[in-house]
Amino acid sequence: MKKVLSIVLVLMMTLGVAAFAEEPVVIGVLLSDTSNTFFVNMQVAIETKAAELGASTIVLDGANDAARDVTNMEDLIATGVDFVLYNPVDSDAAAAVVEQATANGIPVISIDRSVNGAEVVSHIASDNVYGGRLATEYLIEQIGGSGEIAEIQGQAGASAANERHQGFDEAVAAAGEGITVVSSQIGDWDTTKALGIMENILLAYPDVKGVFCANDNMAIGAVQACQQNGRADVVIVGFDAEQIALDAVAEGTMAATIQQQPALMGEMGVENALKYLAGESIEANIGVPVALITQ
């Protein structure tokens, strides 16, 4: 009897392995904007790491539309994914999206941007508050500690935008009365929109000495506006360390950018998703380092 039971157990284990081999883990991925090179890098890393670890992926683009996040999650649920890596368009609206997954027994890890009002198994992100503060402190240092500065924020409702703005505010408060913020506007992460905002700032506040932009796309827009208006003196600091910004820093048209690691975030998302599905415990908050990049 013991021998028969042993054979049955071996067969069950073998069949279980075979079934797993035939049906790899499927990770659904919701990204806020795959036209942005930051998220392209994240997507490539997710797909590469998943393939390396024997999982498959389904990647859907939110196109910066919070309503699309809802329908994209519905599609992933209908497909029968085992796990979701979620980079929300809007952190507040994301709660309902996560609740969809949870109601269907699908665990979620948020990446880069948090989910407000609903629980995820883990959140993987840069320290955006620290990054915003670091960027602004450098900006203030470069203008000599006094004068007028401006801010171009990311998309309203996105946690990364809110946190970078918080870091900006903290640095300004710490700098004292010598710094005056003449303008702080929403640029929606967009180069063209930021260009227009910066042109208006230059017109309305000709004494402005510097600007912090919450991502590099907007920083490049600010660079273009300054170049078109003959204002090479304006100190511009971005965020993300995109290649176009690194080139601008090397050329001297941007003063600095904050380096994030979107590829590492993506890899860590896949690794932790598979650990969770295997029954291992994972940390509720996983930080990814950032650094100031100057010439």
Side-chain angles (χ1 to χ4, degrees):
M1 178 62 74
K2 288 182 179 178
K3 185 177 288 187
V4 171
L5 285 172
S6 296
I7 292 170
V8 169
L9 286 170
V10 169
L11 285 171
M12 288 173 67
M13 290 172 67
T14 304
L15 288 170
V17 170
F20 181 77
E22 291 170 6
E23 297 181 10
V25 169
V26 181
I27 299 174
V29 184
L30 299 184
L31 295 178
S32 59
D33 180 17
T34 58
S35 69
N36 186 318
T37 54
F38 181 87
F39 296 113
V40 171
N41 292 337
M42 184 180 288
Q43 177 181 345
V44 170
I46 288 171
E47 293 170 335
T48 302
K49 179 58 71 173
E52 177 187 316
L53 297 178
S56 63
T57 56
I58 300 172
V59 181
L60 300 179
D61 179 18
N64 275 328
D65 180 355
R68 186 174 293 191
D69 271 358
V70 176
T71 57
N72 281 346
M73 182 63 85
E74 290 171 352
D75 290 343
L76 291 181
I77 292 167
T79 304
V81 298
D82 300 295
F83 205 101
V84 173
L85 300 179
Y86 183 25
N87 164 246
V89 171
D90 184 304
S91 295
D92 292 328
V97 180
V98 169
E99 286 166 359
Q100 284 180 279
T102 303
N104 285 273
I106 302 170
V108 178
I109 285 177
S110 55
I111 299 184
D112 183 54
R113 300 176 186 174
S114 62
V115 175
N116 298 332
E119 284 192 20
V120 294
V121 299
S122 184
H123 176 55
I124 299 173
S126 302
D127 187 339
N128 284 298
V129 175
Y130 172 69
R133 188 168 64 247
L134 190 64
T136 309
E137 287 172 347
Y138 184 74
L139 169 60
I140 291 169
E141 176 189 317
Q142 292 303 297
I143 66 168
S146 65
E148 297 180 351
I149 65 171
E151 178 191 23
I152 303 179
Q153 299 184 43
Q155 187 172 18
S159 63
N162 296 339
E163 290 161 6
R164 292 171 197 179
H165 172 63
Q166 179 184 335
F168 173 84
D169 279 348
E170 289 178 2
V172 169
E177 296 179 358
I179 294 297
T180 302
V181 179
V182 295
S183 178
S184 181
Q185 299 183 49
I186 301 293
D188 287 329
W189 312 118
D190 185 73
T191 301
T192 303
K193 186 169 288 189
L195 190 158
I197 289 170
M198 192 66 205
E199 284 184 330
N200 291 335
I201 290 171
L202 294 172
L203 183 63
Y205 306 101
D207 293 329
V208 68
K209 290 185 175 181
V211 59
F212 167 57
C213 300
N215 81 341
D216 285 336
N217 288 343
M218 297 189 298
I220 292 301
V223 168
Q224 292 170 352
C226 288
Q227 289 174 334
Q228 291 169 14
N229 287 272
R231 291 295 305 275
D233 60 305
V234 177
V235 177
I236 300 168
V237 179
F239 204 116
D240 286 342
E242 300 284 3
Q243 189 57 54
I244 190 170
L246 294 175
D247 292 342
V249 170
E251 294 163 1
T253 53
M254 272 178 64
T257 183
I258 298 295
Q259 182 185 50
Q260 290 200 90
Q261 302 188 69
L264 181 57
M265 285 186 215
E267 291 171 356
M268 292 171 72
V270 172
E271 290 167 349
N272 282 280
L274 295 178
K275 283 181 182 179
Y276 185 86
L277 290 174
E280 297 182 39
S281 61
I282 61 174
E283 294 180 20
N285 288 282
I286 300 172
V288 182
V290 299
L292 180 73
I293 305 297
T294 68
Q295 196 173 54

